[in-house]
Every structure is written in C-alpha cells, then in structure tokens.
Amino acid sequence: MCNCNGSHNDNPLLPVVGKIIKIVEETPDVKTFHVTSENGKPFTPMPGQLGMVSIVDVGEAMFSVTTQGPEHLEFAIKRVGTLTDVLHEAEVGQSIGVRGPYGNGFPIDLFKGKDVLFIGGGIGLAPVRSMINYCIENRDDFGKLTIIYGARSPEDLCFKDDLFENWPKVRDTEVHVTVDKGDDNWKGNVGFVPAFLEQINPSPENTIALTCGPPIMIKFVLQSLAKMNFQPEQIVTTLEMRMKCGIGKCGRCNIGSKFVCLDGPVFTLAELNQMPNEY
Amino acid sequence: MKSLSKANLSQFLETMNSKVRVYVPVEQDGVSRFAPWSQDCQLVLDRNTINPPKRLFFPQTEELYEYQVDKQDASVKSLAVKPEPFVVFGMRPCDVQSLKLLDDVFLTKGYEDIYYKQKREQGIVISLGCPEPEETCFCDSWGVNPARAPLADIMMIESEDKYLLEAQTEAGEKLLADLSGQLTDQSGELPEGKPCSLKVKNEGLMEHLQPKFEDPVWAEICRKCINCGTCTYLCPTCYCFDILNRTRGKQGVKYRCYDSCMYPEYTLMAGGHNPRPTKKERVRQRFLHKLQYIPERYQELGCVGCGRCIKKCPVNLDITRVINQLWEVE
C-alpha cells in the first residue's frame, strides 16, 4: 500500500490521499475544508478548476477549488448528500482522497485589463471566490472589482471574513451583500440578487460579469444583465453536473457534445447559447 | 494469405491457446458471448454474439483500486494490471470498428484510461468477416464493410470448406507465423461478402440532427421506451460507467461498472436536480449521442450497425426506424 505521495499521472482515476488540516464552519450547512498531502498541495489549480474529493470508503464527488494557499487547497462544501454528510461529520486529521485539477477554469485572458463584476448566490460563491482571490493577488491586471452576493439569510452567507473584512479593503473593490430575509441584527440590503444587481446597475463597458448560484438565480441574473446591455460574450458562468470520472470518460456530464468536466465547467453565455438547454 | 481447413479449426485454436489465451464466441447458458477457448466449448461462428466483445477490453465490472481505512487514516493501491497477451478470435467487423470509438473515448482528449489501455495493447484481434449479414445488420450504411475490418490484426473469411486468413499488422503476421504448421499458403485475395439488406441514410445525418434538439418528435420516439437499458448494455460502442465502493470492515475496493443513460439516477445530482428528468431527455440523449454528439466530438459515428439493440429491445424501438423518422422531420 502506498500513501500516494507521488503524482499518479499514469492513472488519473487513482486519488492522492491527503488530510484535512482545518475546517471552517461557514453557515449551518456549509463548511470549508483545507486539504493538504504529505508532499504539500495535492495539485495547483487555476481559478474555476475542479477537484474530485473522496472519503475513500464512502464515495467521491466533484467540487470547485474555492481558493488555495501555498501548501493547501480549500473546498467549500454544502451538506446535500451521502458523501457531504460524512464530510460534515469529519474532523481535522481525516484522510481525504483528492484528484485533479479538472476542467478549463475561468478564461483569465478574457478578464485581463477589464472591470470584473462578480455575482454569486449561496454556495455559488465558492467557485467565484477562486477568481476573486486571483484578481486580488494579481490586482494590477484587472480594473474595478464589483462583488454582489446574496444568500437566504444572514447566517447563510458564506465567507463572511472575506465579504466584510478582507475584500472591502482591497483597492478599487466594492462588495454588495443582500439576503432574501433579514433578522434583527441585519442592517444590510434585503431582497433577491437580480433586483439588487439592477439597483446597483453596473456599467457593461469594458466589463466581464461572472455569475454562479442556484439555477433560478442565474436565470433571472442573466435577464437582468441583458437588460443592462451586457452581451453574451461578456457573461461567464460555471456549471454543475453529476460526475464520476472527471476525465471525460464516464459519460454523464455531457451537454450535447461538450463534457462539463473537460470542456467546462466554465462557459460564456455565448457558448451556452450554442449548446442544448439541458443542464 | 493463408488458409485453414475447417476440419482443423479446433486444432488451430488449441495450438494457439497453448501459446496465448484465446477468447472465442460461444453459446453459454443460452447467451452468446466471448469466453476463453476450451475443447468442449460450443463455438458460435454463424452469427455475431449477443454480448459484445467490448467486455474483453472494458469489462462489465472492473476493480480500480483497493483501500484500507483505520479511523482517520486511509491508503490506496492501484489494481491496474497489464494482462498477458491474448487473442480475440472471431470478432465481427462492426465490433472491431467499435474499438476505434472506444479508443477515442478512453485514450484521447488529454487523459488515458490505463485500465482500458493495458488490455487494448495486449489484445490481438482476429476478425471474422460476415459473408451474409443478418437481417438486423446495417453496418455498411455506416461505411463498415461486413467482410473487412481494417483495424483487426488478422482478417479471416470463410470460403467453402476453409477459412482464409490475411495478416494486417505486425502482431498478426507474427501470430500467423507462429501457427504456420496449422496453415497452408494460399494465393488470391480475400473474397468480398454480401451487402446488408437493412439500410439507413447516413450522409449529412449529424448536420440534419443539429437543430432538432427541441423538436416534438422526441416525445413520440420515446413513447414506447421503458428505459430498461438493454440497448446500452449490448451496444458495442456504449462506454458509460459508474464508480462505486465495496467496503468490508477496514478495507474495500473501488470499482467501476457499466452504467446507462436510460436511468434517471445516471444524471441525478445530490440536492435533487436532474438535467434529464424524464425518458424523453434520456432517449434523446441516447440517439443524439450516437448520431450527433460523438460525430461532433470524435469525427466518428457512435453506431456501428451491429443490430444488437434492434434484436433485443423488448419494445422493438428500432434505431433504423428512429433514424428514418428523424430524416422525415423538416
């Protein structure tokens, strides 16, 4: 038995076994897991790329890498099924299988030199965050950053430190947060993301919009962006599908002839408009 | 070219099997399939097998790696093993063509599937041409010649009381040389077979289908399908798989097994969303995958015209009739 310290490039289905080194409770049903392996970071993804995460005797599922450090990867995971139930019960020190990076990631060159409008809803901020942090680390390569984020309630907001502490301090960066339903302590905006977006009304000029969230939010965000004259080429989103292999072989994550695990998960709206509406 | 007397076939297979493991088409428990050669096996050489030989390269279930867990700790170990060289004897040209597509899926687009690759590299294919295709065969509509398999190592055709064999690769030549004691030199060329009687119109099909995704015809086509998945399990080009765990105590095995786009769970996500929630989406996926998506992605057709799905579909959902129906849609 090996602990898979080395890479397994000859067998992409075999995971590297690493460990959870930190768990952050984001919301009642979202935790962020920091994962590393004996040889340091299991792999180095580009923003928007994916990792296949497993508890080896339970199962595997694909998650976006929400951000990374020099020695670790972070996965923000909502509790929704068998594997995520077990993950949410796990403690620091738990062995975790990881393989990747998978997928295309965000088209960095498309974003360079432009203002970036990030629109996230709920756990949909997880993949968006990888690009936000990339823009912050390479701040001079991008124009103004506008982050619009919403969740069901104040306690359902993910990455609160980033939203209220870290990101607002970054040069030429605006953070707008809304909740569907407030509570006694909530002083911020109450309302759905699409309406909030229209109220903020960012200009489409030299701007790329990146959105991810629940399907219903994306549907109305796209309508709002169209109203504000964003063109399909300026809108980028990232999709979710059931995946088993992550390497374009097992078959299930196709939309037409595109495989979300290989050709996605990131697509521009212009690309999506050319694909069958089956996601 | 070499010839082999039919009376010597058994001796030929026995000799070959003493050098490398040989898989042959046999009838077992009422089902025809490829199985290891033995003197008492019941060879099926007058028609293609119901179970496709893809299983020899991509088994129905296949162990990927084993694992051990102990409290929080875990370790894994690959179970990919390169097999000894083996021979697949009697694979039909349609099924040999299906290997081309499986190669595209498992060996291209940035990732090689080692489990498939190891078997594919070690397998020597002796194709048996079809002198007279069955009534459900339509391989020649897709450009497959029922009497020729260009990808096979050896092409073999029945001719009266003998078989004619022609090596098409180095591995094929070597195998025939090793078995030269069983074979006679023969002049001339391999005979052609008869064309298929069942036909479909192929040319321009992909382009014709591209704007038909939302067409109401899919609601009609799917009506009688019961989503049983038989077509996908018997199809020589279907390759979808699931990856599952089998855990006993502190150890277990991660394995894959055939899956099917006919089943709702295939695309069902944790959280409940399903992009293909009804049989209309699933049936559409199956046909468009074969006839449009695979051609777009790999510049190959996803159907080889073997006719197994026509023979075995319990509700007689015939892919050639579906294609004709799709051609009628404006």
Side-chain angles (χ1 to χ4, degrees):
Chain A
M1 289 276 176
C2 70
N3 282 311
C4 300
N5 305 325
S7 71
H8 286 283
N9 290 335
D10 60 327
N11 187 355
L13 293 177
L14 189 67
V16 168
V17 178
K19 290 218 181 284
I20 297 177
I21 51 167
K22 186 180 174 186
I23 300 172
V24 180
E25 212 166 315
E26 305 284 353
T27 77
D29 59 2
V30 175
K31 286 182 179 179
T32 299
F33 300 88
H34 296 228
V35 176
T36 191
S37 72
E38 264 182 46
N39 282 6
K41 186 155 55 175
F43 52 82
T44 301
M46 292 301 288
Q49 282 195 299
L50 308 169
M52 188 64 95
V53 175
S54 58
I55 299 265
V56 294
D57 56 336
V58 177
E60 276 186 316
M62 195 72 105
F63 300 95
S64 65
V65 184
T66 182
T67 196
Q68 57 187 313
E71 294 292 322
H72 77 281
L73 300 173
E74 293 182 28
F75 297 94
I77 294 175
K78 184 169 173 170
R79 187 171 192 158
V80 284
T82 313
L83 173 69
T84 54
D85 264 353
V86 177
L87 272 168
H88 271 247
E89 299 298 322
E91 293 174 2
V92 167
Q94 170 67 46
S95 288
I96 288 284
V98 223
R99 50 190 183 91
Y102 297 129
N104 56 357
F106 294 113
I108 306 277
D109 287 343
L110 181 69
F111 288 77
K112 271 191 180 163
K114 302 200 174 86
D115 292 348
V116 188
L117 170 64
F118 300 96
I119 307 155
I123 188 65
L125 187 56
V128 176
R129 181 176 178 237
S130 66
M131 189 64 199
I132 296 174
N133 286 350
Y134 182 90
C135 291
I136 292 170
E137 281 155 26
N138 302 276
R139 191 65 197 86
D140 294 342
D141 291 349
F142 304 92
K144 180 181 176 184
L145 307 180
T146 305
I147 299 161
I148 298 173
Y149 176 57
R152 283 170 301 186
S153 72
E155 69 166 3
D156 288 307
L157 294 166
C158 293
F159 315 116
K160 294 181 187 71
D161 288 352
D162 285 339
L163 289 171
F164 300 113
E165 297 292 328
N166 303 333
W167 294 341
K169 287 183 194 145
V170 177
R171 164 168 57 88
D172 201 14
T173 301
E174 282 177 22
V175 183
H176 304 272
V177 181
T178 185
V179 293
D180 299 350
K181 195 167 181 291
D183 60 22
D184 293 346
N185 298 320
W186 180 251
K187 304 275 191 301
N189 190 76
V190 175
F192 293 128
V193 169
F196 192 44
L197 165 67
E198 288 186 35
Q199 192 183 315
I200 296 161
N201 196 23
S203 158
E205 199 183 329
N206 197 38
T207 299
I208 297 294
L210 194 179
T211 182
C212 185
I216 188 75
M217 183 207 91
I218 293 190
K219 185 181 164 189
F220 288 107
V221 162
L222 294 180
Q223 289 177 9
S224 300
L225 288 171
K227 248 193 253 176
M228 296 185 295
N229 279 326
F230 278 81
Q231 300 305 305
E233 295 75 18
Q234 291 175 273
I235 302 171
V236 174
T237 187
T238 173
L239 299 180
E240 253 195 323
M241 290 289 250
R242 185 167 192 176
M243 294 176 191
K244 286 286 178 169
C245 73
I247 55 174
K249 318 289 189 206
C250 80
R252 73 205 64 230
C253 74
N254 75 299
I255 300 172
S257 59
K258 303 280 187 210
F259 279 80
V260 174
C261 69
L262 278 186
D263 309 309
V266 177
F267 296 97
T268 65
L269 183 58
E271 289 168 326
L272 282 181
N273 287 343
Q274 300 296 312
M275 287 156 60
N277 183 14
E278 193 173 59
Y279 44 87
Chain B
M1 194 165 67
K2 303 281 182 189
S3 76
L4 167 70
S5 154
K6 280 189 178 173
N8 291 341
L9 177 63
S10 183
Q11 184 57 39
F12 174 76
L13 292 169
E14 184 63 29
T15 310
M16 187 156 55
N17 198 50
S18 68
K19 299 170 194 290
V20 283
R21 160 77 53 102
V22 179
Y23 292 88
V24 292
V26 297
E27 182 98 6
Q28 267 179 357
D29 307 324
V31 180
S32 50
R33 56 161 65 94
F34 280 76
W37 155 260
S38 69
Q39 284 284 6
D40 54 359
C41 71
Q42 200 185 331
L43 275 179
V44 178
L45 295 175
D46 61 336
R47 59 191 185 278
N48 201 357
T49 55
I50 285 302
N51 268 336
K54 72 175 175 184
R55 277 148 217 264
L56 299 174
F57 303 95
F58 171 51
Q60 186 163 1
T61 61
E62 180 164 40
E63 296 185 340
L64 302 176
Y65 55 89
E66 57 184 348
Y67 50 80
Q68 295 209 326
V69 289
D70 186 15
K71 297 198 180 93
Q72 288 193 318
D73 294 330
S75 60
V76 297
K77 186 186 170 198
S78 174
L79 293 173
V81 182
K82 194 172 185 122
E84 291 295 313
F86 62 96
V87 168
V88 188
F89 175 88
M91 204 164 157
R92 302 291 173 161
C94 54
D95 289 339
V96 178
Q97 179 61 26
S98 77
L99 289 180
K100 173 76 180 71
L101 181 78
L102 295 180
D103 286 353
D104 285 342
V105 169
F106 284 114
L107 304 177
T108 73
K109 304 281 179 197
Y111 294 94
E112 285 188 341
D113 184 288
I114 190 170
Y115 304 91
Y116 175 82
K117 188 183 180 193
Q118 287 175 331
K119 296 177 191 65
R120 185 76 173 91
E121 283 177 346
Q122 296 294 77
I124 299 167
V125 172
I126 302 179
S127 180
L128 175 60
C130 304
E132 203 160 341
E134 295 176 65
E135 59 180 7
T136 48
C137 291
F138 58 108
C139 67
D140 59 2
S141 291
W142 298 145
V144 174
N145 177 342
R148 292 288 184 278
L151 296 172
D153 295 287
I154 295 169
M155 190 66 224
M156 178 170 102
I157 289 182
E158 190 181 347
S159 173
E160 293 168 357
D161 61 344
K162 52 183 185 269
Y163 293 106
L164 303 173
L165 295 95
E166 182 114 75
Q168 305 189 130
T169 65
E170 221 171 281
E173 271 176 28
K174 188 173 175 306
L175 185 65
L176 288 189
D178 287 350
L179 296 163
S180 57
Q182 311 277 324
L183 301 166
T184 315
D185 283 330
Q186 175 90 31
S187 59
E189 292 194 351
L190 292 179
E192 287 293 335
K194 288 188 188 157
C196 302
S197 51
L198 185 60
K199 299 280 179 202
V200 285
K201 187 180 160 206
N202 168 9
E203 211 189 319
L205 183 59
M206 178 184 88
E207 294 79 2
H208 176 75
L209 293 176
Q210 276 163 342
K212 304 286 186 297
F213 186 83
E214 304 282 3
D215 198 279
V217 73
W218 295 110
E220 261 174 70
I221 289 171
C222 79
R223 199 169 293 148
K224 64 182 177 181
C225 177
I226 54 171
N227 277 185
C228 70
T230 300
C231 51
T232 59
Y233 283 93
L234 297 183
C235 177
T237 69
C238 271
Y239 58 82
C240 294
F241 59 87
D242 196 0
I243 297 181
L244 296 161
N245 285 60
R246 189 173 61 232
T247 305
R248 281 198 177 163
K250 292 179 173 179
Q251 53 205 6
V253 171
K254 186 74 102 175
Y255 67 99
R256 69 176 167 196
C257 62
Y258 293 176
D259 205 345
S260 172
C261 57
M262 291 293 104
Y263 303 150
E265 294 80 6
Y266 180 68
T267 45
L268 178 66
M269 299 204 284
H273 177 63
N274 193 343
R276 298 203 276 265
T278 75
K279 69 176 179 178
K280 185 186 92 174
E281 294 85 23
R282 299 195 284 272
V283 169
R284 178 175 61 190
Q285 162 66 22
R286 172 164 161 78
F287 288 113
L288 286 184
H289 191 207
K290 300 284 175 211
L291 306 173
Q292 181 197 331
Y293 305 157
I294 288 175
E296 283 174 349
R297 194 166 180 83
Y298 299 108
Q299 292 75 52
E300 292 280 341
L301 264 159
C303 173
V304 293
C306 71
R308 287 183 176 92
C309 56
I310 304 175
K311 264 189 203 159
K312 287 294 167 183
C313 176
V315 295
N316 198 17
L317 185 54
D318 177 337
I319 186 170
T320 62
R321 287 192 217 158
V322 169
I323 293 168
N324 292 338
Q325 198 176 347
L326 288 166
W327 272 118
E328 281 166 21
V329 177
E330 286 298 309

